Amino acid sequence: MHIDFTGFAFCIHTFGCQMNKHDSERVHGMLESLGAVQVETVEEADIVVFMTCCVREAADTRLYGQVASIKNIPLRENAPVSKRLIAIGGCIGQRDGERLIKQMPHVSVVFGTHNIHSLPALLYKAIDDSKAQCEIEDASNSFPTDLPQRREHAWAAWLPIMIGCNNFCTYCIVPYVRGREKSRTIEDIVSEAKRYVDDGVKEITLLGQNVNSYGRDLYGSPRFAEVLQRVADTGIERLRFATSHPKDLTDEVIESFGKIDALMPALHLPVQSGSNTILKAMNRHYTHEHYRELVRKLREVVPNIALSTDIIVGFPGETEEDFLDTYRLVSDIGYKQVFTFIYSKRNGTPAATYEQNASREEIQDRFDRLVDLVQKRAFELNQPDFGCDVEVLVEGVSKRNPSLLSGRTPGNQTVHAPIPSGMTIDELCGRFITVHVDLCKTWYLSGTADPKSVR
Ligand code: 5AD
Ligand code: SF4
C-alpha cells in the first residue's frame, strides 16, 4: 500500500513516562516522513494521536475526558478528510483495545504498544473503509526503534535498549501492557548511539523499564555495564539511564559511575517504600537495608551522586509504622528529587485484591507529610552548590522568564541564568556553559553564566 499523508496536519498528546515520550517521537517521525506536518492544537489537526498511560488512575480518567472533549471541535477549512482521525496508542490502547471504539465511536484507530509501526496503515484504512481500526497484537518482530524518529531536542536523544518488564510488582500494570522484557542487541544500540553522536547529540538517555537486567533474555545474563561502556565509547558527552530496579543494580554498574566519565553523577533508583513488610507485599525482592547498602556503595564511588526515587504512599496494608519507615528512609538517604504517588488500584494486578485498611484522609495526611519532607531535604541538599561553578547543558529558556536560559547540571539539577548579552538562546541551545551559582532553591539553582565558557 502506498501511503502518503501530504496535506495532513497532526498533533500528538503524550501522557506518562519517557518511554511514551520516546514512542511519540517515533509517531511524529513516521507521520512527518509520510508528508504530514505537526501542529500545536486539535483545532488545526486532521489527525490527533493520544499516547496513553494507565500506570495510575488519574491519567486513565483524563484520557477519556480529553477524547470526549474533542468530539465536537470542527475540522479546519479545506481539511483533507471529512472526519477528524483520532488514534489512541500506548498502554490504554493495549489494555482496552476494541472497547475504546465501542465506548467512543468517534475514535478511528486503536494501536497497541507493539504496533506503532502500523499506525499509518491503520489511519489509511480507517479513511478508506470509513470504519474504526484496531491492532493490538504483538505481531512485530522488529524492535520499534527501526522507525523514523523526530526528536524533541536536537541535542538530546532517548535510546530504548529494551522494552517490557518481567518483575510483576504487585501494584503495577506495566508488565501486562508492555509485555515481557525484550532487549536489543548491543551492536544495534551502539550503532544508534554512533548515529546520534555524528548528528551532534550531546546527551543520551538509555531507556528501559529495568535497564539493569538488560541482555538477560538475549545473552543469558545481564550485560548493562557493558552497554554503558560501549555507548560511552562512541564519544557521547553525557550519558544517563532510566529506570533501575534496586534488586538488579550490580556492583559492576555501580563501579561504572567511577570509571566512565560520560556517565553523569545522577541515578533514579525507585525504592517505593521503606518498610520491609510493604516491600515484600509489593514483590520488590529487596529490603530497605539492602537499598541503603546500595546507596552507600554508590556514594563510595561518587560521593556527590544525585539520587532520585519513586515512592508509593498508601499501598494496601500500609500502617503508620510502615509509613514512618518510608519517612525515615527518605530523610536518611537525602534525595534531590522524589516522585510521590498515592497508591492507585489497577484492575488485573495482584494488589487490586488486597484489602485497604487506612482511610483516604490518613493516606492523604501521610502523603502531605512526605511531600513536606521531600521539599525540605531537596532544599537542604541544594545549598552546598552556593558559590560553585556548574557546567550546564542549555535546553532553552525558563518557562517563567524568557530572558533566562535554562539547562541542567551533570547531577540533572535545573539551572537558570540571564542569557549573556550579545548572545541568543538559539546559539546557546545544545551547548555547554558554566554558571556561577548564587541562589539555591528547592527545585532549581540560578546564577550568572560566563559567556567565555561556551563550548
Ligand atoms: N499506584 C501508584 N503508583 C504507581 N506506580 C506504578 N504503579 C502504581 C500504582 N498502581 C508508580 C511507581 C513507579 C512509577 C512509575 O509509578 O512508583 O515507579
Ligand atoms: Fe512496574 Fe515493577 Fe516493572 Fe517497574 S519493575 S515497570 S514498577 S512491574
Side-chain angles (χ1 to χ4, degrees):
M1 189 186 343
H2 176 71
I3 299 182
D4 185 357
F5 281 114
T6 306
F8 281 74
F10 69 95
C11 71
I12 307 175
H13 291 285
T14 310
F15 301 81
C17 65
Q18 285 166 323
M19 197 61 99
N20 252 13
K21 289 185 187 151
H22 175 75
D23 285 348
S24 291
E25 291 185 342
R26 303 274 162 193
V27 170
H28 186 161
M30 241 183 346
L31 293 177
E32 206 172 56
S33 71
L34 296 169
V37 291
Q38 195 200 23
V39 290
E40 293 302 315
T41 63
V42 171
E43 281 78 3
E44 302 163 275
D46 314 312
I47 304 172
V48 182
V49 183
F50 289 91
M51 294 301 282
T52 63
C53 170
C54 58
V55 166
R56 286 172 299 275
E57 196 182 358
D60 208 331
T61 333
R62 235 168 72 206
L63 171 83
Y64 281 82
Q66 285 211 1
V67 176
S69 75
I70 66 173
K71 191 174 167 187
N72 296 322
I73 298 178
L75 278 169
R76 65 186 170 123
E77 247 176 71
N78 304 325
V81 275
S82 54
K83 176 181 163 256
R84 181 175 284 113
L85 294 160
I86 298 172
I88 301 182
C91 296
I92 299 183
Q94 182 72 35
R95 186 194 60 188
D96 293 353
E98 295 274 1
R99 256 186 296 158
L100 285 163
I101 297 168
K102 287 214 180 76
Q103 282 179 23
M104 298 184 284
H106 63 300
V107 168
S108 324
V109 170
V110 174
F111 59 109
T113 51
H114 295 270
N115 307 83
I116 294 174
H117 60 284
S118 302
L119 177 62
L122 292 168
L123 287 168
Y124 236 56
K125 263 187 111 182
I127 303 173
D128 277 358
D129 303 356
S130 334
K131 194 167 128 243
Q133 306 291 318
C134 175
E135 185 181 306
I136 55 166
E137 74 272 32
D138 182 358
S140 152
N141 284 324
S142 70
F143 203 88
T145 50
D146 302 339
L147 304 172
Q149 171 197 19
R150 173 62 188 263
R151 291 194 307 275
E152 190 182 340
H153 298 301
W155 61 88
W158 284 308
L159 203 172
I161 62 170
M162 60 195 300
I163 50 175
C165 182
N166 292 355
N167 287 316
F168 292 93
C169 302
T170 52
Y171 50 82
C172 184
I173 194 87
V174 168
Y176 306 91
V177 288
R178 292 267 168 185
R180 293 301 83 71
E181 283 174 9
K182 200 159 134 195
S183 304
R184 287 172 85 180
T185 63
I186 295 192
E187 292 70 30
D188 203 17
I189 295 166
V190 171
S191 76
E192 186 168 335
K194 274 197 187 121
R195 281 204 304 278
Y196 290 144
V197 173
D198 292 344
D199 215 22
V201 167
K202 302 286 167 52
E203 179 173 291
I204 291 179
T205 305
L206 304 176
L207 287 185
Q209 253 79 36
N210 178 18
V211 290
N212 293 295
S213 66
Y214 166 83
R216 196 151 28 201
D217 55 322
L218 278 185
Y219 307 112
S221 58
R223 285 171 66 176
F224 183 54
E226 189 179 336
V227 170
L228 288 172
Q229 186 61 60
R230 296 276 301 274
V231 173
D233 289 344
T234 62
I236 189 71
E237 296 247 10
R238 287 185 171 191
L239 179 58
R240 305 184 188 279
F241 60 85
T243 292
S244 286
H245 194 307
K247 80 175 163 56
D248 296 314
L249 181 64
T250 60
D251 288 347
E252 231 186 327
V253 170
I254 293 176
E255 282 153 20
S256 303
F257 280 98
K259 286 194 207 142
I260 303 176
D261 286 345
L263 190 55
M264 291 292 102
L267 178 66
H268 185 64
L269 194 60
V271 66
Q272 312 297 358
S273 168
S275 149
N276 287 346
T277 317
I278 297 297
L279 287 169
K280 192 150 200 288
M282 286 176 163
N283 194 32
R284 292 289 288 177
H285 294 282
Y286 56 84
T287 58
H288 79 88
E289 289 89 351
H290 176 74
Y291 186 93
R292 287 169 191 264
E293 177 60 11
L294 290 175
V295 171
R296 190 195 62 73
K297 286 191 206 165
L298 280 159
R299 290 197 164 132
E300 209 169 73
V301 179
V302 193
N304 67 342
I305 193 161
L307 295 172
S308 55
T309 201
D310 292 345
I311 290 193
I312 298 176
V313 174
F315 185 82
E318 183 188 81
T319 62
E320 176 65 16
E321 268 314 305
D322 293 318
F323 170 73
L324 290 175
D325 285 343
T326 301
Y327 191 91
R328 257 189 301 276
L329 181 120
V330 170
S331 179
D332 293 348
I333 301 279
Y335 293 105
K336 289 267 187 159
Q337 170 89 279
V338 180
F339 299 92
T340 43
F341 306 105
I342 287 184
Y343 170 73
S344 149
K345 180 173 163 177
R346 304 284 67 199
N347 286 335
T349 63
T353 61
Y354 300 173
E355 209 161 313
Q356 181 61 272
N357 46 353
S359 69
R360 244 169 212 264
E361 292 72 28
E362 275 171 306
I363 293 172
Q364 186 63 48
D365 177 62
R366 288 175 197 166
F367 181 82
D368 294 344
R369 277 184 280 157
L370 185 64
V371 169
D372 282 347
L373 172 69
V374 165
Q375 292 182 355
K376 179 173 148 269
R377 295 294 282 128
F379 179 80
E380 286 166 3
L381 285 157
N382 276 342
Q383 297 315 307
D385 284 335
F386 182 85
C388 293
D389 288 340
V390 290
E391 186 164 61
V392 172
L393 175 56
V394 181
E395 292 177 350
V397 290
S398 146
K399 280 196 196 97
R400 294 227 189 104
N401 180 348
S403 72
L404 301 179
L405 65 81
S406 174
R408 279 167 196 272
T409 64
N412 219 14
Q413 183 60 264
T414 300
V415 179
H416 296 157
I419 298 170
S421 65
M423 301 188 107
T424 65
I425 193 65
D426 288 343
E427 59 188 294
L428 286 171
C429 269
R431 299 181 71 184
F432 295 95
I433 193 165
T434 301
V435 173
H436 185 75
V437 176
D438 56 23
L439 182 67
C440 306
K441 302 287 258 188
T442 306
W443 302 126
Y444 69 92
L445 310 172
S446 73
T448 316
D450 175 5
K452 290 196 294 296
S453 68
V454 176
R455 66 176 185 94

